[in-house]
């Protein structure tokens, strides 16, 4: 395993600074929308499964049908 010792002016060297002029925000927006959609779908499925399990536990006739 290597060990790096950065001391003094090495940190503040004269390197070119890169500025980001523009970025297409469409990809970020699509990824965010997809994440929100997946979260909502999974939460809905979990709630439906929880309701089914609760109903089956409380009503034996429903449990026999499942």
């Amino acid at each position: 395993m290597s060990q790096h010792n950065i001391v003094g002016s090495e940190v503040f060297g004269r390197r070119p600074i890169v500025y980001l002029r523009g970025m297409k925000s469409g990809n970020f927006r699509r990824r965010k929308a997809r994440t929100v959609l997946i979260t909502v779908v999974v939460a809905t499925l979990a709630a439906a499964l929880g309701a089914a399990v609760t109903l089956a536990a409380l009503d034996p006739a429903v449990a026999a049908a499942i």
Side-chain angles (χ1 to χ4, degrees), residues 39-63:
T39 304
V40 168
V41 167
V42 168
T44 305
L45 289 174
L49 183 63
V53 167
T54 303
L55 187 61
L58 295 178
D59 192 3
V62 174

Side-chain angles (χ1 to χ4, degrees), residues 13-33:
R14 286 195 165 275
R15 289 189 222 145
I17 299 173
V18 178
Y19 291 104
L20 185 62
R21 292 187 191 179
M23 186 177 80
K24 293 182 182 177
S25 61
N27 189 27
F28 177 72
R29 209 174 312 143
R30 276 192 299 272
R31 286 173 57 192
K32 186 176 179 184

